[in-house]
Amino acid sequence: MKKLLLTVIAVFAIAVPSMAYDAASRVQTIGEQLLTKNGISATNVKFMVVSDTPNNANFITTRVINVSSAELAFAGNDNEVAAVVAAEIGHLVCGHASKAQVMSLLQSTANTDVTTNTTVQTFASNYKTTKQDKEADLIAVNLMVNAEYNPLALIVVLTKQTGTYWDTIVGRPANAEKALNVYDYISYVYPAKLSVGYGCNEYRTFLAYAENIVTQRKDSKKLTNKYNKTYAKAKKNTANKIVKFKTRGGVSGWDAVYGLLNGAQ
């Protein structure tokens, strides 16, 4: 009887394939959760998955937040989808895309040759510099915590991606610098979240990489002071940006400026 039961279960398992996680189908629901749980209006806001580099400079008029399908490919659960979406909202809170558009429009108006070989579209699509990514990632951590998602998922999504040739040589995870930035911020602002952990190989690999760096910092008063100063400032700055974004009705200062300049053309 026991053998028969096991056989039936095995046959059923073969006949009914496991359902793969569909990250794209979860973007709208998770995006709305991230906004509403952080006191940001989600009314008429649509999340759209795009294959090219997301450009959200026109959010003020379209109310559409574009999310990269390439990044969603590394998301295997709701926490990881939240990490991808929250990072994009983080860029929006900072106004990174609209800032690039504003600068390009102003330079074009001033008749400089900056746009000779670089169109406004290209300028906007390349706005995600490392510095901007790191800023958006820290805002994403705040958004995820308030929406009850595990912020360590952001580290996992970053390190799941394809690393550089040099990363392989020195034995570090992909996006190690950005992942460590997220880890350090969580350890400073949300230390209890570290004890929750994250059960996957990517996170364990990252911890093995980060352990020596964290130990060296703890053994150095200079490095510890720098860490405390850096993330105390980051905590204040990210909170201020989120508050201003909310009080403006879900619009960054750069979004407002770009809307005025674009409308005046």
Side-chain angles (χ1 to χ4, degrees), residues 2-264:
K2 186 176 180 180
K3 282 186 177 182
L4 178 61
L5 181 60
L6 290 174
T7 301
V8 171
I9 292 174
V11 170
F12 183 78
I14 293 172
V16 183
S18 59
M19 297 295 290
Y21 180 79
D22 185 0
S25 69
R26 299 291 297 147
V27 168
Q28 183 69 35
T29 298
I30 291 173
E32 291 176 359
Q33 178 88 347
L34 286 165
L35 293 177
T36 56
K37 289 291 185 178
N38 282 279
I40 303 170
S41 175
T43 303
N44 297 324
V45 175
K46 182 179 180 180
F47 290 84
M48 183 175 294
V49 179
V50 296
S51 58
D52 53 355
T53 302
N55 178 7
N56 292 308
N58 293 313
F59 172 72
I60 190 172
T61 55
T62 64
R63 304 299 287 173
V64 172
I65 299 177
N66 295 304
V67 180
S68 168
S69 60
E71 294 183 8
L72 282 174
F74 298 102
N77 56 50
D78 281 6
N79 284 306
E80 292 167 18
V81 171
V84 174
V85 177
E88 203 56 60
I89 296 174
H91 281 291
L92 192 61
V93 169
C94 296
H96 288 153
S98 52
K99 178 181 179 180
Q101 297 274 41
V102 167
M103 297 305 295
S104 186
L105 286 172
L106 292 176
Q107 289 162 346
S108 179
T109 302
N111 295 319
T112 65
D113 61 358
V114 174
T115 58
T116 300
N117 297 313
T118 307
T119 63
V120 172
Q121 183 65 35
T122 302
F123 195 100
S125 69
N126 293 330
Y127 74 90
K128 287 187 177 179
T129 62
T130 298
K131 182 178 179 180
Q132 290 175 336
D133 280 343
K134 290 168 75 173
E135 183 180 27
D137 286 346
L138 300 193
I139 288 176
V141 169
N142 293 339
L143 298 176
M144 291 178 72
V145 170
N146 291 337
E148 300 178 356
Y149 292 107
N150 188 338
L152 298 176
L154 182 51
I155 294 173
V156 174
V157 170
L158 286 169
T159 56
K160 274 184 178 181
Q161 298 175 29
T162 304
T164 64
Y165 180 68
W166 185 248
D167 288 334
T168 303
I169 291 176
V170 299
R172 68 186 176 197
N175 295 307
E177 181 183 350
K178 289 189 283 189
L180 186 62
N181 177 56
V182 171
Y183 181 85
D184 284 343
Y185 183 74
I186 294 173
S187 68
Y188 185 86
V189 183
Y190 305 105
K193 296 298 179 181
L194 295 184
S195 62
V196 174
Y198 203 93
C200 71
N201 289 332
E202 288 84 2
Y203 185 64
R204 285 188 284 271
T205 299
F206 168 78
L207 285 182
Y209 160 79
E211 184 178 8
N212 288 336
I213 298 174
V214 173
T215 299
Q216 289 175 12
R217 183 174 64 219
K218 288 180 178 179
D219 292 339
S220 168
K221 184 176 180 180
K222 181 179 179 180
L223 291 177
T224 298
N225 288 339
K226 181 180 179 181
Y227 160 79
N228 289 331
K229 183 178 180 179
T230 297
Y231 290 100
K233 182 179 179 180
K235 178 182 179 181
K236 181 179 179 181
N237 287 346
T238 54
N240 285 341
K241 285 183 182 294
I242 293 173
V243 168
K244 289 179 180 179
F245 188 75
K246 289 194 292 186
T247 56
R248 293 191 185 104
V251 177
S252 74
W254 285 109
D255 289 330
V257 172
Y258 176 63
L260 289 173
L261 290 175
N262 202 35

